[in-house]
């Protein structure tokens, strides 16, 4: 875990163009007009389309490069940066390769499946082919060559499990470690969860990661040799896919540095391809964008993905495109790639809403990014340890945690790069030595019952007045009752709906003894107590232990409950939380006596006012709101003591309340002596 601030402050728009209008120069000119009209800074052309056979012979590439070079020159002549997206490296999924190009070692998954046309990075003849292909493409004169997100060893059509278990990988593992495994035995051993073989997993994933970083270096060398002015870029998949593929992003980024671009592009990906469910955007940011800065420790030029997939015109409204752009910029990076149109029907703007929105939003986003300089993001979070795959179930669900999504949906800011307070979940407790775990706990921490149980078994927290027992799951939890003495009247003694929408770690039970306090109890259908739901203590550290499984909850009762628990463990040192309304999400950066607050409304309802709970209670000197033209103006707000008796309430009014499916940005200045 590391603290990182935003990677690069300029906001740039990169238009990613699938079809190059071959044989239709007028259509190509319209594409460039579209880029001009949308205030794009760069145009990134795909070298091939998904309809073309992957892995064309070198002769075919040689014939095609002059055409790509003309396209690059046209883009440069319009004052934009030309970029090239090398669409298929290892292979996105099953596709019939070009004739004669099926001679390489296929990628093999743990079950022995071999997706057609997807090849292993350890196959030296394939690596030599790809290196020469990249070298040829580098002659097209692009400012940067980007490797698409098929550069991975997890998740591709035609494979079901982690990859690659081909004879080359199994052989390399045998050679490195003097151990001979069959694919079946190795895969079975890697998956074992009763006592995960961490040492074996670490060695196996190391080999996977090395095979990708090794191929990346070969591609970089080929590009740098052909065009010393070229840079490299890498599109990456969400963290669970990187983790389950054994990737070490730092090693890959290091392998892609060129003299011309010492900080290679790294673009986050991972969904929100349509706007049918607006909150999916929040899930994408939390799951796929936020964790990466916490998992990258070397210089890189971070970039966000804006994508309608599979690229039909008008697939996503301009309203949600704007939200997606904003949330990327306020969370991680000012650079954005746009895959928003369908090349079959051409790059144009049938609604008439998208191009004006792009132009109008740019000064605003630039002001947001500029305000981030020198600031650090803060919030409660699962901290995304780089070796997660050593201790978790090797499945998408098992790999990480849904807690961050849950916290986001409850209006709580988060920061995987500087988790405050940190959230320890399940077996991830085992990633930390006793000393490291003590240091995390000493900051004040949230734990689930499983992580707490593991630490107690290890002999830590034995003095803590919260008891935990393992029990046979049984006695269906029917009710969660709020018993916290400080709960507001509307909540005190009330039951929260459980039904089937809230899940608990029902193999454990928790209980407060003297020195701890139950904030909620879990009852069966007869009203008998099965466990505490949330327990807090300040001995030996400020801790909150949850029986909740971390699945997203979106309701006011649990919003109060979780926020109260966080305030206790953070002893007030916690960024503002949205209180009393749902579907709002805050992002918080601070430094140099001021803070930037990005506030999004994912809901369909407009509010006359909204309240933020500021646990820190630092005296506020001024709050400014960023107007849509990118200028800071006075915000419409009031501050008063929080009803709990500690901290402040910041109440927004009028145009300082984000409209439905929209956002507002604030700059908060504190008194100089604090
Ligand atoms: Zn392989």
């Amino acid at each position: 875990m590391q603290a990182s601030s935003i990677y690069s402050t300029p906001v740039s728009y990169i238009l990613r163009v699938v079809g190059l209008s071959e044989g239709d120069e007028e259509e190509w000119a319209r594409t460039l007009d579209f880029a001009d009209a949308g205030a794009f800074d760069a145009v990134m052309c795909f070298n091939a389309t998904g309809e073309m056979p992957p892995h064309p012979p070198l002769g075919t590439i040689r014939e095609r490069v002059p055409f790509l070079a003309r396209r690059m020159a046209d883009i440069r002549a319009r004052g934009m940066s030309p970029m090239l997206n090398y669409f298929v490296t290892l292979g996105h999924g099953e596709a019939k390769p070009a004739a004669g190009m099926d001679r390489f070692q296929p990628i093999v998954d743990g079950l022995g499946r071999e997706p057609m046309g997807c090849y292993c990075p350890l196959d030296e003849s394939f690596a030599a082919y790809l290196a020469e292909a990249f070298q040829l493409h580098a002659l097209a004169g692009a400012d940067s060559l980007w490797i698409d997100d098929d550069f991975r060893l997890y998740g591709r059509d035609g494979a079901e499990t982690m990859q690659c278990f081909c004879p080359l990988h199994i052989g390399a593992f045998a050679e490195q470690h003097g151990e001979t495994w069959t694919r079946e035995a190795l895969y079975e051993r890697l998956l074992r969860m009763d006592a995960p073989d961490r040492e074996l997993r670490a060695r196996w994933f190391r080999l996977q990661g090395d095979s990708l970083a090794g191929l990346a270096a070969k591609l970089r060398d080929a590009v740098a040799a052909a065009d010393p002015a070229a840079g490299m870029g890498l599109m990456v998949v969400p963290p669970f896919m990187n983790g389950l593929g054994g990737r070490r992003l730092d090693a890959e980024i290091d392998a892609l540095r060129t003299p011309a671009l010492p900080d290679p592009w790294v673009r986050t990906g991972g969904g929100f391809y349509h706007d049918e469910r607006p909150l999916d955007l929040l899930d994408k940011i939390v799951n796929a964008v936020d964790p990466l800065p916490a998992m990258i420790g070397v210089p890189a030029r971070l970039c966000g993905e804006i994508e309608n997939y599979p690229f039909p015109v008008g697939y996503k409204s301009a309203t949600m495109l704007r939200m997606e752009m904003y949330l990327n910029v306020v969370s991680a990076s000012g650079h954005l790639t746009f895959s928003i149109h369908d090349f079959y029907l051409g790059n144009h703007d049938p609604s008439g809403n998208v191009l004006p929105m792009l132009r109008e939003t740019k000064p605003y986003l630039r002001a947001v990014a500029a305000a981030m300089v020198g600031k650090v993001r803060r919030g409660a979070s699962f901290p995304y340890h780089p070796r997660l795959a050593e201790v978790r179930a090797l499945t998408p669900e098992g790999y990480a945690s849904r807690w961050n999504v849950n916290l986001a949906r409850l209006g709580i800011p988060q920061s995987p790069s500087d988790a405050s307070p940190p959230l320890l979940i399940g077996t991830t407790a085992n990633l930390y030595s006793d000393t490291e775990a003590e240091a995390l706990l000493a900051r004040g921490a949230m734990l689930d019952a499983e992580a707490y149980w593991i630490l107690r078994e290890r002999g830590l927290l034995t003095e803590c007045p919260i008891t935990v027992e393992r029990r046979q799951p049984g006695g269906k939890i029917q009710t969660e009752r709020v018993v916290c003495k400080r709960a507001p009247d509307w909540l005190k003694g009330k039951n929260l709906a459980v039904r089937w929408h809230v899940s608990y770690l029902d193999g454990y039970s928790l209980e407060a003894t003297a020195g701890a306090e139950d904030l909620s109890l879990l009852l069966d259908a007869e009203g008998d107590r099965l466990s505490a739901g949330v327990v807090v203590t300040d001995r030996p550290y400020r801790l909150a232990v949850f029986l909740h499984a971390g699945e997203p909850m979106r309701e006011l009762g649990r919003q109060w409950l979780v926020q109260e628990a966080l305030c206790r463990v953070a002893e007030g040192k916690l960024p503002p939380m949205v209180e009393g309304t749902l579907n709002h999400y805050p992002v918080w950066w601070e430094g140099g006596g001021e803070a930037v607050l990005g506030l999004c409304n994912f809901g369909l309802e407009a509010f006359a006012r909204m309240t933020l709970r500021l646990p820190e209670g630092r005296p506020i000197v001024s709050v400014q709101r960023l107007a849509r033209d990118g200028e800071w103006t006075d915000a419409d707000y009031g501050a008063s003591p929080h009803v709990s008796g500690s901290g402040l309430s910041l109440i927004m009014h009028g145009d300082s309340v984000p409209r439905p499916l929209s956002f507002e940005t604030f700059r908060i200045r504190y008194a100089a002596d604090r």
Side-chain angles (χ1 to χ4, degrees):
M1 187 178 63
Q2 61 185 64
S4 55
S5 53
I6 206 158
Y7 275 79
S8 30
T9 50
V11 167
S12 66
Y13 290 176
I14 302 169
L15 179 65
R16 192 161 167 247
V17 177
V18 186
L20 301 185
S21 314
E22 290 170 52
D24 189 345
E25 296 308 307
E26 285 180 16
E27 181 61 35
W28 171 244
R30 279 195 292 275
T31 295
L32 295 182
D33 292 345
F34 179 89
D36 270 337
F40 283 92
D41 304 278
V43 176
M44 183 192 300
C45 297
F46 281 68
N47 70 319
T49 72
E51 288 72 18
M52 296 162 81
H55 315 298
L58 293 169
T60 306
I61 294 174
R62 212 168 273 122
E63 286 166 18
R64 187 172 164 77
V65 164
F67 163 72
L68 294 173
R70 285 198 301 279
R71 292 292 188 246
M72 295 294 111
D74 290 345
I75 295 164
R76 200 182 294 284
R78 294 270 195 135
M80 294 176 280
S81 170
M83 300 173 171
L84 205 53
N85 183 170
Y86 199 94
F87 179 49
V88 179
T89 53
L90 305 187
H92 291 266
E94 288 205 299
K96 187 180 175 186
M101 299 303 285
D102 57 356
R103 60 181 186 272
F104 305 117
Q105 170 60 52
I107 281 176
V108 179
D109 79 0
L111 304 174
R113 290 175 205 271
E114 301 180 354
M116 178 193 287
C118 299
Y119 300 126
C120 172
L122 280 184
D123 181 338
E124 287 187 12
S125 65
F126 178 59
Y129 156 76
L130 265 189
E132 198 164 347
F134 268 69
Q135 188 155 16
L136 289 170
H137 278 91
L139 299 173
D143 287 339
S144 51
L145 252 87
W146 296 54
I147 300 171
D148 211 293
D149 67 7
D150 64 325
F151 197 77
R152 63 184 191 238
L153 288 173
Y154 184 85
R156 47 172 46 82
D157 182 45
E160 280 190 24
T161 77
M162 309 181 294
Q163 304 138 34
C164 171
F165 293 85
C166 80
L168 297 173
H169 269 95
I170 298 272
F173 196 60
E175 197 170 304
Q176 279 178 12
H177 302 290
E179 290 172 20
T180 306
W181 288 86
T182 63
R183 171 180 53 75
E184 292 84 350
L186 179 59
Y187 181 61
E188 189 270 328
R189 182 65 170 261
L190 288 168
L191 288 196
R192 229 165 71 173
M193 254 321 280
D194 46 353
D197 190 337
R198 293 182 59 182
E199 190 272 338
L200 181 76
R201 284 185 176 190
R203 283 191 287 132
W204 176 252
F205 283 134
R206 180 98 200 165
L207 173 64
Q208 305 304 313
D210 284 348
S211 68
L212 288 173
L215 178 55
K218 288 176 187 166
L219 302 183
R220 185 269 322 271
D221 290 347
V223 168
D227 180 4
M232 298 286 291
L234 182 66
M235 298 170 179
V236 298
V237 282
F240 79 90
M241 284 195 175
N242 296 325
L244 298 179
R247 294 179 79 166
R248 295 194 315 288
L249 291 178
D250 284 0
E252 289 178 41
I253 293 165
D254 284 341
L256 292 176
R257 299 188 198 292
T258 64
L261 190 65
D263 52 337
W265 293 98
V266 178
R267 197 203 67 173
T268 63
F272 195 64
Y273 295 139
H274 54 77
D275 60 5
E276 291 169 17
R277 292 175 302 193
L279 273 171
D280 287 355
L281 170 59
L282 184 56
D283 285 25
K284 174 206 163 157
I285 295 287
V286 168
N287 283 326
V289 175
D290 282 351
L292 278 172
M295 304 182 94
I296 296 175
V298 296
R301 190 172 295 208
L302 206 67
C303 180
E305 170 203 73
I306 309 294
E307 182 154 329
N308 303 352
Y309 186 82
F311 315 135
V313 170
Y315 206 39
K316 201 185 283 165
S317 58
T319 299
M320 284 311 290
L321 279 172
R322 198 176 66 124
M323 281 280 273
E324 191 176 7
M325 291 156 59
Y326 176 73
L327 212 54
N328 269 283
V329 170
V330 78
S331 301
S333 158
H335 299 294
L336 303 170
T337 69
F338 291 76
S339 309
I340 52 173
H341 281 74
D342 166 5
F343 79 95
Y344 293 112
L345 300 180
N347 283 284
H348 55 100
D349 183 14
S351 70
N353 290 335
V354 172
L355 289 176
M357 179 279 290
L358 290 171
R359 277 196 310 275
E360 288 162 19
T361 307
K362 203 169 188 181
Y364 185 93
L365 296 180
R366 285 199 161 140
V368 172
M372 303 295 187
V373 177
K375 294 189 176 60
V376 173
R377 197 170 167 187
R378 282 185 58 211
S381 182
F382 180 72
Y384 283 93
H385 194 289
R387 299 202 313 271
L388 266 172
E390 285 180 27
V391 297
R392 304 286 288 181
L394 298 178
T395 60
E397 305 73 34
Y399 175 72
S401 158
R402 293 282 287 162
W403 266 103
N404 279 21
V405 171
N406 189 12
L407 295 176
R409 290 197 177 194
L410 294 173
I412 296 165
Q414 46 200 268
S415 171
S417 53
D418 186 18
S420 47
L423 182 56
L424 278 174
I425 300 303
T427 52
T428 55
N430 283 330
L431 288 168
Y432 301 94
S433 69
D434 287 1
T435 315
E436 289 166 338
E438 297 267 15
L440 280 177
L441 298 170
R443 289 160 54 184
M446 267 179 70
L447 298 89
D448 72 3
E450 186 181 9
Y452 182 69
W453 184 84
I454 287 172
L455 291 173
R456 297 259 289 195
E457 286 290 296
R458 281 169 49 181
L460 301 172
L461 298 174
T462 48
E463 307 298 311
C464 182
I466 301 172
T467 58
V468 59
E469 284 177 12
R470 263 182 137 171
R471 64 180 177 109
Q472 287 297 320
K476 169 90 176 78
I477 294 167
Q478 203 71 32
T479 299
E480 179 162 10
R481 181 169 299 161
V482 177
V483 294
C484 173
K485 298 181 197 73
R486 278 177 30 165
D489 289 343
W490 61 270
L491 192 58
K492 197 182 294 183
K494 299 282 173 57
N495 294 341
L496 305 177
V498 172
R499 302 287 183 265
W500 291 273
H501 83 292
V502 176
S503 55
Y504 298 92
L505 301 176
D506 60 2
Y508 298 86
S509 66
L510 298 169
E511 187 168 7
T513 60
E517 181 187 351
D518 292 330
L519 300 191
S520 72
L521 298 181
L522 303 175
L523 312 175
D524 68 11
E526 294 181 317
D528 290 334
R529 173 193 173 122
L530 296 171
S531 171
V534 183
V535 198
V536 295
T537 185
D538 56 6
R539 296 186 213 161
Y541 309 110
R542 288 167 284 108
L543 303 176
V545 186
F546 286 72
L547 206 79
H548 302 73
E551 280 303 309
M553 303 182 279
R554 189 162 57 91
E555 54 167 314
L556 293 175
R558 289 189 177 84
Q559 180 187 66
W560 185 89
L561 199 57
V562 176
Q563 293 190 358
E564 174 67 14
L566 282 173
C567 285
R568 303 274 190 104
V569 301
E571 223 177 8
K573 295 185 186 62
L574 194 69
M577 301 177 287
V578 176
E579 188 177 69
T581 45
L582 298 172
N583 302 317
H584 288 90
Y585 173 63
V587 179
W588 181 259
W589 295 74
E590 67 176 43
E594 64 172 42
V596 170
L597 168 67
L599 204 50
C600 293
N601 179 358
F602 288 91
L604 301 177
E605 188 168 7
F607 295 88
R609 48 182 261 161
M610 69 172 303
T611 303
L612 289 143
R613 179 175 184 177
L614 273 61
E616 291 181 321
R618 278 188 276 177
I620 291 172
V621 173
S622 68
V623 180
Q624 291 179 304
R625 166 184 171 265
L626 187 61
R628 285 295 185 256
D629 61 3
E631 298 294 324
W632 293 98
T633 59
D634 289 339
D636 188 358
Y637 77 101
S640 55
H642 189 264
V643 64
S644 67
S646 65
L648 293 174
S649 289
L650 184 63
I651 301 164
M652 302 298 185
H653 302 277
D655 63 6
S656 290
V657 180
R659 307 289 299 165
L661 301 178
S662 190
F663 49 83
E664 295 295 338
T665 311
F666 302 96
R667 188 158 65 184
I668 298 169
R669 294 214 160 106
Y670 294 109
D673 60 339
R674 295 296 299 265

